[in-house]
Amino acid sequence: MIATRDAYGEVLAELGGENDKIVVLDADLSGSTKTGVFAKKFPNRFFNMGIAEANMVGTAAGLASVGKIPFLSTFAIFAAGRGWEQIRQALAYPKANVKVVATHGGVTVGEDGGSHQSVEDVAIMRAIPNMTVIVPADGEETKGAIRAAAAHKGPVYVRLGRNKVPSVFPAGHKFEIGKGVVVVPGTDLTFITTGLMTAQAVIAAEKLKAEGISARVLHIGTIKPLDKELVEEAARETGAVITAEEHSVVGGLGGAVAEFLGETCPTLMKRVGVYDRFGTSGKSDELLKYFGLNAETLIEEAREIVSRKK
């Protein structure tokens, strides 16, 4: 198990040695975002911008305009909150080649409470034109996603977590922007998942198998652009979809899937996530249980949706 933010720190330092155009900016949180790993190796290409997120985004845009490849990091609540206007105006509008890698997304920020638990950031970033939005499932996918972001021309938002998460993908897993992955085959329903919920869906699918329910697990690492081909295929072949994310059900993965299927392939569907409310303070594992972001909830929802199919 490894936290996606730890994987980010590792691969960012590797990329720094491979490409001297890569520069890193942080809003005084490099110990938490793990950009400090890069800073130790390449101090002349690291900039601590202080608690000034909007200025950090503007600076990154300027660096991109002269050929640098900036990665900027802070907590998701600050990137999508304090930096929103500058991300829209200075990055997305001119298609600046800047990578916003936000850590501490979702309720697993834990004791910091609802003020710091960003459950809206994916929806906010997904709504911005020209923005690519990525939410990796584990450490291995994070490494591939960061490399893909570095190679991609244009703005990218990558959402990472605070806690260690189970591995879903093997070493060397190839990440491709805009492509989902069928992690578990199935015929009765499809779990369409992202982030840490993919590992929970794999557990749920295994337990459901013992009950005679065949659950497909389709991991969506890129929320935007959505892999419409795989989503439609899953909907047509299984006839029932359950989305799951550590994010609000409004505007995130669930919203993206519902919008697409509603127009192209209306399907029996349920969204699992945070239901239009703020987070709350508590230990991260307790909060996941409190909000129903676990395999147990997915199993219950799978039983219900399969019974509705009949």
Side-chain angles (χ1 to χ4, degrees), residues 133-137 141 169 175-176 178-183 190-195 198 217-232 234 243-245 253 256-257:
V133 181
I134 297 172
V135 185
E141 188 176 41
F169 297 107
F175 176 88
E176 186 175 350
K179 295 296 182 181
V181 181
V182 176
V183 181
T190 302
F191 291 123
I192 300 181
T193 59
T194 196
T198 296
V217 178
L218 170 56
H219 169 68
I220 298 295
T222 311
I223 311 300
K224 182 186 179 184
L226 183 69
D227 191 336
K228 295 179 179 179
E229 182 178 348
L230 272 187
V231 169
E232 183 173 355
T243 61
E245 59 196 311
L253 173 65
V257 171

Side-chain angles (χ1 to χ4, degrees), residues 269-289:
M269 183 175 170
K270 174 70 176 183
R271 294 169 299 159
V272 172
V274 179
Y275 277 85
D276 197 22
R277 58 161 296 180
F278 290 105
T280 188
S281 184
K283 294 181 179 178
S284 57
D285 56 342
E286 294 174 349
L287 290 174
L288 289 173
K289 183 177 180 180

Side-chain angles (χ1 to χ4, degrees), residues 14-261:
E14 292 173 6
L15 282 168
E18 298 166 13
N19 189 342
D20 61 9
K21 291 184 179 180
I22 291 176
V23 294
V24 176
L25 302 85
D26 200 289
D28 207 29
L29 287 168
S30 60
S32 296
T33 64
K34 302 303 178 180
T35 60
V37 181
F38 182 98
K40 288 180 180 178
K41 291 187 70 174
F42 309 102
N44 293 332
R45 286 191 274 147
F46 175 81
F47 306 93
N48 182 355
M49 303 301 295
I51 305 173
E53 292 82 2
N55 182 51
M56 176 171 67
V57 176
T59 301
L63 288 164
S65 73
V66 294
K68 302 300 182 182
I69 304 174
F71 278 77
L72 67 87
S73 289
T74 184
F75 289 2
I77 192 68
F78 303 135
R82 291 179 173 179
W84 178 83
E85 182 183 357
Q86 287 69 31
I87 288 173
R88 181 188 189 275
Q89 306 290 64
L91 304 190
Y93 190 73
K95 300 181 182 178
N97 193 31
V98 176
K99 322 305 168 182
V100 181
V101 184
T103 67
H104 294 65
V107 299
T108 44
V109 176
E111 290 85 350
D112 287 352
S115 64
H116 282 55
Q117 293 168 9
S118 180
V119 295
E120 319 92 338
D121 57 305
V122 172
I124 292 168
M125 292 298 151
R126 180 177 157 251
I128 302 176
N130 299 328
M131 183 63 73
T132 295
V133 181
I134 297 172
V135 185
D138 63 4
E140 192 63 30
E141 188 176 41
T142 297
K143 294 176 183 178
I146 297 302
R147 287 187 169 276
H152 178 78
K153 299 300 181 183
V156 179
Y157 180 79
V158 184
R159 186 209 217 207
L160 305 179
R162 174 186 185 183
N163 290 6
K164 293 182 179 180
V165 292
S167 294
V168 174
F169 297 107
H173 167 70
K174 180 175 173 56
F175 176 88
E176 186 175 350
I177 290 174
K179 295 296 182 181
V181 181
V182 176
V183 181
V184 179
T187 57
D188 293 327
L189 75 143
T190 302
F191 291 123
I192 300 181
T193 59
T194 196
L196 60 76
M197 289 303 294
T198 296
Q200 295 302 305
V202 171
I203 295 170
E206 184 63 30
K207 292 184 177 179
L208 286 164
K209 186 177 180 181
E211 300 180 17
I213 297 175
S214 176
R216 182 178 306 186
V217 178
L218 170 56
H219 169 68
I220 298 295
T222 311
I223 311 300
K224 182 186 179 184
L226 183 69
D227 191 336
K228 295 179 179 179
E229 182 178 348
L230 272 187
V231 169
E232 183 173 355
E233 180 181 274
R236 293 191 184 281
E237 291 180 356
T238 67
V241 164
I242 298 172
T243 61
E245 59 196 311
E246 188 197 0
H247 183 273
S248 172
V249 296
V250 179
L253 173 65
V257 171
E259 290 161 14
F260 170 65
L261 291 180

